[in-house]
Amino acid sequence: MMKSFRWQWVRRRKTVWFGLLVILVLGLVAVLAPWLAPHDPYQWGVTRSNLPPMWVQDTPTPGTAEYPLGTDRFGRDILSRQLYATRTAIFLALIAVPLAALIGTLIGLTAGYAGGRFGALTLLFTDMINSLPGIMFVVIIVLIFRNLLPPTWLGGLLTLVIGFAAISWVSLARLIRINVLQVKPQLFVEAAIGIGATPWRIITRHLLPNVLHVIVVWIIINIPAIILLEAMLGYIGVGVTSAVDGSEFTTVSWGGIFFSGRSMLSSNPLMLVIPSLCILLLSMSFILLGDVLNETARE
């Protein structure tokens, strides 16, 4: 019997609406970033470098309303870069997490249904991946593919997508395999096998619907994971590829802002505070949604 979410109960939870509101607002910011940004986030201006926020007036170079949050050491508008960084984070999460979920789902379903040596080998392989230090493994993959792919926005995006997908699918594959092993002995699956249903039909019509709730919750919870991973990698200088001609889609990211804002912590801490708050709100929203859906699916 297929598990289902109690959508009526979910809609009455205030945490769900809070999470959806935050995600909607940041999603709109990501989509409308080119129209909301007051300046070109890539445009340098040495004469206006290190401007403070507009409400700071007791400095040799007071802030101006033209640059509400000030500028970085290259004279680039901080507000515009924050808006474009939101676009990068959400776009990255929407590519990397579904890709990892697809890999984990295929391997988990196949291993759980096939069992035997294939299932044992799959479990051994997932244990080997889990034994590796995750962040270091991602850093190695990013550095390797960064040299292989062209230095454009797509190359920088793909390196992070490949690095995240290479390690994150393991947890989902193990979860799905366990759930499939619990569902497989049930009568409706045995009846399908008895009437000669093909393995493809059994997996897609009987096993997959019963693990769909696991996939949905995993995707929702792991979206903050890729955003946090990009921020950490960007902070240590291993993130989205730097701009080549200023036109790349994802050359501005929260991790990159962390990296460039380290030297401005005392003069303009907003470069670190604002992306930190955005990551906190976005991560908390997805985690709250994931917890509610997971709690609902278990009841």
Side-chain angles (χ1 to χ4, degrees), residues 29-239:
V29 169
V31 173
L32 301 176
W35 295 273
L36 295 176
H39 299 280
D40 184 349
Y42 311 104
Q43 186 177 5
W44 289 24
V46 180
T47 57
R48 59 174 185 271
S49 62
N50 295 323
L51 287 179
M54 65 178 184
W55 56 85
V56 178
Q57 299 294 320
D58 56 347
T59 59
T61 55
T64 63
E66 185 179 2
Y67 300 98
L69 300 182
T71 60
D72 61 11
R73 60 194 179 107
F74 298 111
R76 298 173 297 190
D77 181 42
I78 293 177
L79 175 59
S80 300
R81 293 181 66 79
Q82 299 285 359
L83 295 174
Y84 273 74
T86 305
R87 183 173 69 161
T88 299
I90 293 180
F91 192 78
L92 175 63
L94 293 180
I95 294 178
V97 177
L99 176 61
L102 177 62
I103 297 173
T105 300
L106 293 176
I107 295 178
L109 285 173
T110 306
Y113 177 77
R117 290 186 177 180
F118 181 79
L121 290 176
T122 303
L123 184 62
L124 177 62
F125 182 67
T126 56
D127 288 338
M128 291 173 57
I129 299 295
N130 276 331
S131 65
L132 298 173
I135 295 180
M136 291 303 300
F137 189 51
V138 173
V139 169
I140 293 173
I141 293 176
V142 169
L143 293 178
I144 290 175
F145 281 93
R146 174 179 289 181
N147 295 327
L148 296 177
L149 297 173
T152 62
W153 73 266
L154 184 60
L157 185 65
L158 285 178
T159 55
L160 294 178
V161 170
I162 294 172
F164 179 81
I167 63 169
S168 59
W169 64 268
V170 175
S171 59
L172 180 60
R174 292 175 65 91
L175 287 173
I176 291 179
R177 177 180 175 273
I178 293 173
N179 279 267
V180 168
L181 292 177
Q182 294 175 348
V183 175
K184 188 178 176 181
Q186 296 188 17
L187 292 178
F188 66 93
V189 177
E190 293 183 353
I193 296 175
I195 63 176
T198 62
W200 173 258
R201 182 176 179 84
I202 294 173
I203 291 175
T204 57
R205 296 294 299 273
H206 300 287
L207 299 181
L208 179 59
N210 283 277
V211 299
L212 190 60
H213 66 286
V214 177
I215 301 172
V216 172
V217 172
W218 186 92
I219 289 176
I220 292 176
I221 292 179
N222 275 269
I223 286 178
I226 181 61
I227 295 174
L228 288 171
L229 179 63
E230 188 280 323
M232 288 188 293
L233 294 180
Y235 184 78
I236 63 176
V238 186

